[in-house]
């Protein structure tokens, strides 16, 4: 069940299933070689994560996100990510190594035009930042938001992905450098503006699509 949920989640993240698309449970159960009950349990997991919804006369569909949904994600991110920066000393090498790797991975993927993967590397950067707080509760919240964020990214037209993700490669590098120097106050202020910019750019990109 958990493995089937992971497979469905990955297909949403990689834009194989797009917002508004209907998922046929009987076909997916056959494709994955599982019972319909197992498939339904996996679907329930993703419904709990707000990735899927059940609609009258259509069945299970990939959730369509609106302006308020996106704004709520970024409001929560500002609270959680800024608190993580404020509450912990992020200068520890394991944390910085994880952030550096996410920055490096994003830049490498950009050179191969893997812009969906660049978006995933960006999410890893922010999850690493929050995970450094050492709170499993924050980790769970960030995991749920990351799944919704990938769904929101899928609303961006393919031709606009580079334009959306490219600026954040440099901004992630700047954030990493601030944290290397222990400038947590500056990093918190930077993160607030960073996430406001990301929210507005995502709203603009999805409106254009």
């Amino acid at each position: 069940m958990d493995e089937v949920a992971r497979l469905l989640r990955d297909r949403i993240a990689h834009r194989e299933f797009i917002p508004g698309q209907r998922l046929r449970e009987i076909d997916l159960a056959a494709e994955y070689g599982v019972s319909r009950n197992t498939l339904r349990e996996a679907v329930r997991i993703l419904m709990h994560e707000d990735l899927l919804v059940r609609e009258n006369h259509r069945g299970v569909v990939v959730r369509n996100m609106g302006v308020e949904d996106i704004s709520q994600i970024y409001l929560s991110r500002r609270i959680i990510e800024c608190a993580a920066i404020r509450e912990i000393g992020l200068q520890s090498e394991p944390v910085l190594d994880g952030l550096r790797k996410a920055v490096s991975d994003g830049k490498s993927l950009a050179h191969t035009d893997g812009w969906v993967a660049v978006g995933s590397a960006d999410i890893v950067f922010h999850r690493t930042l929050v995970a450094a707080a050492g709170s499993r509760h924050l980790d769970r919240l960030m995991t749920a938001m990351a799944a919704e964020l990938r769904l929101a990214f899928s609303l961006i037209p393919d031709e606009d992905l580079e334009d959306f993700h490219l600026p954040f490669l440099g901004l992630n590098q700047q954030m990493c450098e601030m944290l290397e120097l222990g400038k947590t106050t500056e990093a918190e202020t930077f993160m607030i503006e960073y996430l406001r910019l990301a929210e507005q750019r995502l709203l603009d990109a999805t409106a254009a699509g």
Side-chain angles (χ1 to χ4, degrees):
M1 174 182 64
D2 290 338
E3 176 63 13
V4 175
R6 184 190 67 77
L7 291 170
L8 293 173
R9 194 182 295 112
D10 286 349
R11 292 177 77 172
I12 292 172
H14 289 89
R15 305 162 74 95
E16 293 180 46
F17 296 147
I18 61 174
Q21 181 175 342
R22 179 185 177 191
L23 303 186
R24 297 181 180 275
E25 294 182 4
I26 190 169
D27 294 341
L28 288 169
E31 179 179 347
Y32 293 135
V34 299
S35 69
R36 292 187 68 180
N37 283 339
T38 297
L39 195 284
R40 287 194 188 105
E41 287 302 315
V43 165
R44 286 192 187 99
I45 291 172
L46 268 64
M47 290 177 69
H48 181 71
E49 295 174 0
D50 288 331
L51 299 181
L52 301 177
V53 294
R54 192 176 296 277
E55 295 184 353
N56 291 335
H57 311 302
R58 292 196 69 206
V60 175
V61 301
V62 180
R63 178 184 168 204
N64 237 322
M65 302 187 76
V67 169
E68 182 61 23
D69 298 312
I70 292 171
S71 293
Q72 285 295 314
I73 290 172
Y74 278 91
L75 171 61
S76 299
R77 288 187 65 188
R78 285 193 292 273
I79 294 169
I80 290 173
E81 295 188 45
C82 289
I85 292 171
R86 188 167 59 248
E87 293 296 329
I88 58 177
L90 287 169
Q91 303 95 314
S92 64
E93 281 306 309
V95 173
L96 291 172
D97 284 345
L99 295 174
R100 292 184 193 109
K101 183 178 186 306
V103 169
S104 176
D105 288 348
K107 290 180 177 179
S108 296
L109 290 164
H111 290 140
T112 59
D113 293 328
W115 291 103
V116 172
V118 170
S120 294
D122 178 75
I123 290 172
V124 169
F125 178 90
H126 292 275
R127 290 186 66 179
T128 301
L129 187 69
V130 171
S135 167
R136 65 180 184 276
H137 300 291
L138 287 181
D139 286 345
R140 282 201 295 267
L141 288 171
M142 195 63 187
T143 297
M145 281 193 293
E148 286 192 87
L149 193 57
R150 286 189 173 95
L151 181 59
F153 284 169
S154 71
L155 294 167
I156 303 172
D158 289 346
E159 63 272 18
D160 294 337
L161 282 171
E162 178 178 356
D163 181 64
F164 177 79
H165 287 299
L166 185 60
F168 297 103
L169 295 174
L171 293 175
N172 286 349
Q173 178 70 54
Q174 286 181 254
M175 173 64 70
C176 196
E177 290 170 357
M178 287 182 191
L179 296 174
E180 287 173 335
L181 295 171
K183 296 181 177 180
T184 52
T185 300
E186 293 91 334
E188 183 183 351
T189 301
F190 185 84
M191 182 61 79
I192 291 170
E193 295 308 314
Y194 175 118
L195 291 174
R196 284 178 176 155
L197 173 65
E199 177 184 354
Q200 190 57 58
R201 287 179 62 83
L202 181 56
L203 290 171
D204 290 345
T206 55

